[in-house]
Amino acid sequence: MAILQANRISKHFDGLVAVNKVSFVLNPGEILGLIGPNGAGKTTVVNMIAGVYPPTEGEIHFKGKPIHGLKPYRIGRMGIARTFQVVKPFPGMTVKENVAVGAMFGARGKRRSAKEAMEKAEEVLEFVGLADQKDRRADQLGVAFRKRLEMAKALAMSPDVVLFDEVMAGLNFGEIDQAVQMIQKIRHSGITILVIEHVMRAIKNLCDRVFVLHHGEKIADGPVEEVLNDENVIKAYLGKRFKELTH
Ligand SMILES: Nc1ncnc2c1ncn2[C@@H]1O[C@H](COP(=O)(O)OP(=O)(O)OP(=O)(O)O)[C@@H](O)[C@H]1O
């Protein structure tokens, strides 16, 4: 059974149809990619899953239960965590304190005390390789560490599913490869992943399957190689130079 399933979800902002009747499944243990041009509706899909706003129509089920329309904190507690495209660490707080805040939410319904949250933060910072940065002020980190902190905050919620929204934007090649390895390690720890990314090198190295949005509609869904070679996808998103860049 799918761990997460969206059934014909749409989001309308006044007159704008940002997402139009999109369906997809996320199977336990897989890494599913979501790609598409700027403004295609990718973040809107993540926001609907995470409960930032409800779908205008359609349903979302997590572990067989409906979650559309629930508040973000309830969805977090059920076991879905997400990162934000624009990374905003809590100002004035250390790296460890930022992660501890994540640890106090989520936790699959369990409440953590401040002490337990700090312990969980230590564990997660070790996992993502930020242990030696833990006492720095989070707003003083460079972009690669900030992205890793964003991942750590999500992991501190002990989620079953993580939605990664462009965690590689602004990274150099070496940092992208490190982020790819990190996401593989997260999958091996038993977490199911949806990843939104413009970095095709990462999509190719990470994903089992990928689906493509264009003007809010799903235009392709399938194994990565197949989708990235699909004529419609190349025309709508990847462009002619894609093959030269990635082959
Ligand atoms: N809160 C909002 N109010 C009004 N319009 C919105 C809102 N959020 C998104 N939109 C619009 O919905 C469309 C889809 O936006 P979305 O951010 O989901 O695209 P995206 O695929 O994530 O793009 P990008 O790759 O640039 O992040 C865009 O036209 C955007 O301007």
Side-chain angles (χ1 to χ4, degrees):
M1 190 181 76
I3 189 162
L4 185 72
Q5 183 157 13
N7 192 11
R8 294 174 70 77
I9 54 171
S10 300
K11 184 68 196 174
H12 301 177
F13 294 112
D14 298 323
L16 177 84
V17 182
V19 173
N20 195 13
K21 296 184 174 65
V22 168
S23 300
F24 64 89
V25 294
L26 182 60
N27 295 309
E30 80 174 337
I31 302 181
L32 175 66
L34 170 51
I35 62 174
N38 292 330
K42 305 179 297 296
T43 297
T44 304
V45 166
V46 167
N47 283 339
M48 285 190 278
I49 299 169
V52 174
Y53 33 65
T56 308
E57 60 179 345
E59 298 181 346
I60 305 172
H61 286 83
F62 176 58
K63 296 182 181 168
K65 295 197 183 103
I67 58 164
H68 44 277
L70 296 184
K71 296 281 177 220
Y73 78 92
R74 288 198 56 195
I75 292 173
R77 287 217 177 119
M78 288 171 83
I80 299 179
R82 59 91 56 93
T83 65
F84 289 89
Q85 202 176 336
V86 181
V87 182
K88 285 189 202 141
F90 303 114
M93 282 168 72
T94 66
V95 167
K96 184 172 155 187
E97 287 163 348
N98 263 268
V99 179
V101 172
M104 294 188 86
F105 296 97
R108 297 199 198 111
K110 270 195 327 207
R111 282 195 180 274
R112 285 193 176 105
S113 66
K115 182 169 172 282
E116 285 167 337
M118 283 297 197
E119 282 164 10
K120 181 68 185 172
E122 293 264 357
E123 178 195 316
V124 172
L125 287 169
E126 189 70 46
F127 184 89
V128 302
L130 277 183
D132 56 355
Q133 306 292 322
K134 67 182 178 185
D135 295 322
R136 282 184 71 186
R137 272 187 45 178
D139 49 12
Q140 290 172 349
L141 295 181
V143 61
F145 278 167
R146 274 188 195 219
K147 294 278 182 181
R148 238 192 269 182
L149 172 60
E150 193 63 14
M151 292 162 101
K153 280 160 71 177
L155 293 178
M157 293 172 68
S158 303
D160 295 308
V161 169
V162 180
L163 316 168
F164 285 125
D165 193 354
E166 290 198 37
V167 287
M168 304 196 196
L171 303 188
N172 65 33
F173 278 135
E175 290 163 347
I176 287 171
D177 289 344
Q178 282 176 355
V180 164
Q181 282 169 21
M182 181 62 60
I183 293 175
Q184 279 162 343
K185 194 167 131 184
I186 293 166
R187 184 238 287 263
H188 285 131
S189 77
I191 295 173
T192 304
I193 295 166
L194 175 70
V195 42
I196 295 183
E197 209 43 78
H198 285 294
V199 179
M200 284 309 117
R201 173 188 169 89
I203 291 288
K204 286 179 84 168
N205 287 329
L206 274 177
C207 299
D208 304 304
R209 286 186 305 124
V210 64
F211 72 104
V212 188
L213 290 186
H214 183 47
H215 295 316
E217 310 218 347
K218 188 167 92 170
I219 60 164
D221 187 349
V224 179
E225 283 298 323
E226 199 177 296
V227 168
L228 297 188
N229 285 300
D230 181 300
E231 283 303 319
N232 285 333
V233 174
I234 292 171
K235 206 155 76 188
Y237 176 45
L238 300 171
K240 287 196 195 102
R241 287 195 60 228
F242 171 67
K243 284 196 174 163
E244 298 160 32
L245 287 168
T246 56
H247 284 73

